[in-house]
Amino acid sequence: MTPVPTSPGGTVCSRVRGGPAVPRPRARPRRAAAWTPWLYLAPALVVLGALLVYPVGQLGLISLLEYTQAQVSGGEPTSFRGAGNYVELFADAQFWQVLLATVGFAAACVVSTLAVGCALAVLLTRVRAVPRLALMLAALGAWATPAVTGSTVWLLLFDPDFGPVNRVLGLGDHSWTYGRYSAFLLVLLEVVWCSFPFVMVTVYAGIRAVPSEVLEAAALDGASQWRIWRSVLAPMLRPILVVVTIQSIIWDFKVFTQIYVMTGGGGIAGQNLVLNVYAYQKAFAASEYSLGSAIGVVMLVILLAITLVYLRLLRGQGEEL
């Protein structure tokens, strides 16, 4: 048996028939290659673990205890309830009403934010430099505005006595926060206003990365702007759209500040409650901290489930394509 020749550095050489031995690099061990990405991610994982693992663990622990104001002040010992808080929560009809309202409101916010952000991203590619700069500065100003400030400004704009919107629309002293759906609509407009810049800038960057030859070919074939977006841009921007959609779902599902400020803590008789405000009222207004923590755990599970299902559906569509 003829031994395999090696180079002085230990590199395996392959001999071509009738020719000299050609150096061939050794294959990297698979185990080392598999651990390499985790080594790069380790610092970020440590920071995220420190910021998330302990708070989430404490949230889950409190949701299993009898933890009210009496236990906080040390008047009564803390007792273990197990799933008792969740049983009590799921037996509450108001919880299911708030959950349904939260899902519907978050879905409307996500769809509206994506529609406005994507439309303006396409618009940015069609206008000249000066209008593009003005639009981006205005959008970034909305993005940088704190939620409390933005909510207060929108309340002033739609104020029944002094707001300019009612005067322009001829609505007189109509109160937008009095009705349930009009209050949700007002909050939705504010949420979209402060959220669309992230979608717009991200999608615009993705569109600029698409080769211009592809868009020119589609235009020469007679495709309309909507057809170009649906058949050309959207499939190519799928990874970016996944990121902005998941981010929007998480942000809009856990909206708190806008609802709390613009509806006065959840609206008249709690008609505009969402899960985050509902958890706040249970924990801090009613001093039922264990129930508030249970609502937080339920929100966490719902967001994880929605994200995983959405990613799985997109993966399946990608395999079909």
Side-chain angles (χ1 to χ4, degrees), residues 199-218:
V199 178
M200 183 191 73
V201 174
T202 306
V203 175
Y204 172 72
I207 294 176
R208 298 299 295 178
V210 175
S212 59
E213 295 81 3
V214 176
L215 302 179
E216 293 175 359

Side-chain angles (χ1 to χ4, degrees), residues 211-225 227-229 231-233:
S212 59
E213 295 81 3
V214 176
L215 302 179
E216 293 175 359
L220 290 176
D221 289 339
S224 62
Q225 294 298 326
R227 185 62 183 273
I228 291 176
W229 167 261
S231 302
V232 179
L233 287 177

Side-chain angles (χ1 to χ4, degrees), residues 281-306:
Q281 288 189 353
K282 285 291 184 183
F284 298 101
S287 298
E288 297 178 353
Y289 301 102
S290 53
L291 285 179
S293 299
I295 297 173
V297 172
V298 171
M299 290 181 60
L300 177 63
V301 172
I302 291 175
L303 286 175
L304 287 176
I306 292 174

Side-chain angles (χ1 to χ4, degrees), residues 28-165:
R28 180 180 296 180
R30 293 184 178 181
R31 182 174 300 178
W35 279 100
T36 300
W38 293 104
L39 292 177
Y40 288 107
L41 292 174
L45 292 177
V46 170
V47 174
L48 289 176
L51 295 177
L52 294 178
V53 173
Y54 179 76
V56 172
Q58 288 294 106
L59 184 72
L61 176 62
I62 295 176
S63 69
L64 302 176
L65 302 175
E66 178 69 27
Y67 207 75
T68 62
Q69 188 61 41
Q71 282 75 33
V72 173
S73 60
E76 296 181 11
T78 303
S79 59
F80 182 77
R81 293 197 63 188
N85 292 319
Y86 294 95
V87 173
E88 181 180 350
L89 182 65
F90 295 150
D92 187 1
Q94 187 183 17
F95 167 75
W96 296 105
Q97 295 174 0
V98 174
L99 175 60
L100 182 62
T102 303
V103 173
F105 176 73
C109 288
V110 171
V111 173
S112 302
T113 302
L114 291 177
V116 173
C118 292
L120 291 178
V122 175
L123 178 63
L124 286 176
T125 63
R126 305 296 180 197
V127 298
R128 297 182 180 273
V130 175
R132 184 190 308 125
L133 178 61
L135 179 57
M136 294 193 71
L137 290 177
L140 292 178
W143 172 258
T145 303
V148 175
T149 304
S151 301
T152 305
V153 170
W154 276 78
L155 279 179
L156 293 175
L157 291 175
F158 288 84
D159 186 85
D161 298 321
F162 307 103
V165 175

Side-chain angles (χ1 to χ4, degrees), residues 240-260:
I240 293 177
L241 293 176
V242 170
V243 172
V244 297
T245 301
I246 293 177
Q247 288 278 32
S248 298
I249 290 174
I250 294 174
W251 289 340
D252 297 339
F253 193 83
K254 61 183 186 66
V255 165
F256 174 83
T257 305
Q258 291 87 344
I259 288 285
Y260 192 84

